[in-house]
Amino acid sequence: QVQLVESGGGLVQAGDSLRLSCAASGRTLSGYVMGWFRQAPAREREFVAAVTWTSGRTSYANSVKGRFTISIDYAKNTVYLQMNSLKPEDTAVFYCAAGPAIIGRWDYWGQGTQVTVSS
């Protein structure tokens, strides 16, 4: 089992930055992929970014490339999502997720943290 707890959401203005944290606990995350997803009102949950725990390889949705950065603090077992140049369309509940890289499935989810960007 993996427990994921997100934090760092809030209300910011367009152009501001925000850093989300996802503290992971439970089993070892070696061989896992950690990801961030978001869900805006009346929209489906969408992929934002992912990082492979062992290799550190990252991937991003086109909509956030160049603005968001996903990273891992191995000492703290925490995954971060640094969000710069925020836009009102980034407003959503952001979720942290984890799953075995070899299966390509997201098995564990956090409770979500709200990010609101005002214009």
Side-chain angles (χ1 to χ4, degrees), residues 11-24:
L11 171 63
V12 296
Q13 293 187 331
D16 284 352
S17 297
L18 206 57
R19 188 177 78 163
L20 303 183
S21 301
C22 173

Side-chain angles (χ1 to χ4, degrees), residues 30-75:
S30 176
Y32 270 59
V33 177
M34 307 296 295
W36 285 97
F37 290 75
R38 65 186 180 186
Q39 187 167 18
R43 298 190 65 176
E44 292 190 354
R45 189 174 298 188
E46 64 175 3
F47 168 77
V48 174
V51 59
T52 303
W53 189 268
T54 306
S55 69
R57 187 169 63 184
T58 59
S59 61
Y60 297 91
N62 287 334
S63 59
V64 306
K65 251 178 214 177
R67 299 190 298 125
F68 291 10
T69 303
I70 189 170
S71 62
I72 301 173
D73 185 331
Y74 293 97

Side-chain angles (χ1 to χ4, degrees), residues 22-29 53 72-79:
C22 173
S25 61
R27 60 154 291 152
T28 177
L29 293 169
W53 189 268
I72 301 173
D73 185 331
Y74 293 97
K76 296 182 178 179
N77 245 36
T78 298
V79 178

